[in-house]
Amino acid sequence: MEVRIGIRNVAREVAFESAHTPQQVRATVADALSSGSQLIELEDDKGATVLVPTEALAYVEIGAQEKGRVGFGR
C-alpha cells in the first residue's frame, strides 16, 4: 500500500510502500498527533524507518491496500 506524506514548505512529498494496513497507518498518525509527539514514525515495506516532524506535517494520503496481481503486471 502506498503512503504519501506532504510536508509544509517542501515542494516534494515523501512517498513509500508500506506493508501495514491503512488502519494501522491511520492509527499511528492519529496517535502521534493526539499525544503531542514531535515525530511520526512509520516503516516502509523494506524495513526502513520514515520519521516526519508533526509540526511540519501538511497531509497524509493513505492508498488502498493492493491485492495480489495476476498475469504480466509490473
Side-chain angles (χ1 to χ4, degrees):
M1 166 196 63
E2 183 179 29
V3 177
R4 297 190 317 191
I5 301 172
I7 301 173
R8 287 188 219 159
N9 302 320
V10 176
R12 296 185 67 176
E13 61 190 12
V14 176
F16 59 94
E17 292 292 322
S18 176
H20 297 292
T21 66
Q23 293 80 12
Q24 289 172 319
V25 173
R26 186 178 299 115
T28 300
V29 172
D31 289 346
L33 292 173
S34 66
S35 71
S37 176
Q38 293 195 3
L39 292 173
I40 295 173
E41 183 175 343
L42 298 167
E43 188 175 301
D44 73 4
D45 61 351
K46 296 176 184 156
T49 301
V50 178
L51 298 172
V52 179
T54 53
E55 65 183 27
L57 184 68
Y59 65 88
V60 177
E61 185 176 312
I62 303 169
Q65 196 162 13
E66 202 171 304
K67 300 210 187 302
R69 295 183 182 174
V70 177
F72 296 101
R74 321 183 243 164

